[in-house]
Amino acid sequence: MSKQDLPVVDLSAPACCSPLTSEPLDAQRAVELARVFKALGDPVRLRLLSLIASHEGGEACVCELTGVFDLKGPTISHHLKVLKEAGLITGDRRGTWIYYRVSPSTLRTLGDVLTVDPADEPAGVSA
Amino acid sequence: MSKQDLPVVDLSAPACCSPLTSEPLDAQRAVELARVFKALGDPVRLRLLSLIASHEGGEACVCELTGVFDLKGPTISHHLKVLKEAGLITGDRRGTWIYYRVSPSTLRTLGDVLTVDPADEPAGVSA
DNA sequence: CCTCTGTCTCGACAGTCATCGAAACAAGGA
DNA sequence: TCCTTGTTTCGATGACTGTCGAGACAGAGG
């Protein structure tokens, strides 16, 4: 459980995209993926990500995010940092404001990992 | 932060499947989703899920999972419980052994949430 | 230069989590 | 019945996490 200050997660490793269901995950990849899933494992971060992603232009500045929650600035800043270190968002400063946007590739890699082979799916999925 | 003993997560709510990127997540749905993502946010649980999913027949008994890790029985049992309460796996006893299998629907819901609209994707994705 | 606003870093606190040993429970067999 | 094996529950402990206030840093505009 040593939680030293790791750099930003980079999920671009080749085998990262094979579904969980197709073959056992090797230990190291599991650690990388877990770090990203853990970043998604908080309601505030999930909403932050969603707010950024769905915001006009695909980006949002912190000032537009802070008011949505009953949380103080440092807390929002902390969550944004976690998302950034997980490789889920990127931020750049433009003048006074800092704009964040999502990294679609990381999001997509996660989606691929969770893919379920239709063969494994029970036949009658009552939608 | 009251973390009372909530029942198993049920992600079958209607709007649960719309992507994060299409519209802001409402607070309650964020809580449900976060609980499932948090369950995935541990390397051991990710590997357990992967081992179960990719095991012959789509199911595995605890005895086949324990040996893979340098962890004691109670710890594995704890992680399996977390996965079960997140709605990611189900377990049933058959004689002496308990067999676990994944719930593809939950996995698929998560995949849908992480879907990225191709329009948001940068053009040249060198795959 | 100073000041103001937006955002982050630091340090602290309470709550939660991962892990374990010990013990309980369940099923099968002698 | 007792014993053995597989699995879970309980209680404890150390590590991590979410939150905040105080203060620092960055840029814009006097």
Side-chain angles (χ1 to χ4, degrees), chain A:
Chain A
M1 244 313 136
S2 53
K3 151 65 179 173
Q4 42 216 14
D5 231 2
L6 296 165
V8 174
V9 173
D10 176 18
L11 282 187
S12 58
C16 250
C17 306
S18 56
L20 271 183
T21 53
S22 68
E23 58 187 334
L25 219 50
D26 83 78
Q28 167 149 9
R29 195 117 42 217
V31 171
E32 295 170 357
L33 282 171
R35 215 145 85 79
V36 185
F37 280 123
K38 180 154 30 175
L40 294 176
D42 182 282
V44 174
R45 288 196 289 266
L46 228 30
R47 292 177 67 195
L48 281 171
L49 193 64
S50 170
L51 283 166
I52 295 168
S54 63
H55 197 268
E56 183 187 7
E59 65 183 11
C61 89
V62 181
C63 58
E64 295 170 305
L65 301 170
T66 307
V68 177
F69 304 89
D70 274 340
L71 295 171
K72 302 300 180 183
T75 303
I76 300 294
S77 184
H78 163 68
H79 286 305
L80 289 170
K81 184 179 175 187
V82 172
L83 288 171
K84 188 158 66 176
E85 288 178 347
L88 284 162
I89 60 175
T90 58
D92 70 315
R93 171 160 234 140
R94 290 211 284 284
T96 305
W97 296 280
I98 300 182
Y99 290 87
Y100 285 95
R101 53 174 58 239
V102 305
S103 309
S105 60
T106 302
L107 221 49
R108 191 139 63 98
T109 297
L110 293 185
D112 291 345
V113 167
L114 296 178
T115 294
V116 178
D117 184 342
D120 300 336
E121 190 93 27
V125 181
S126 59

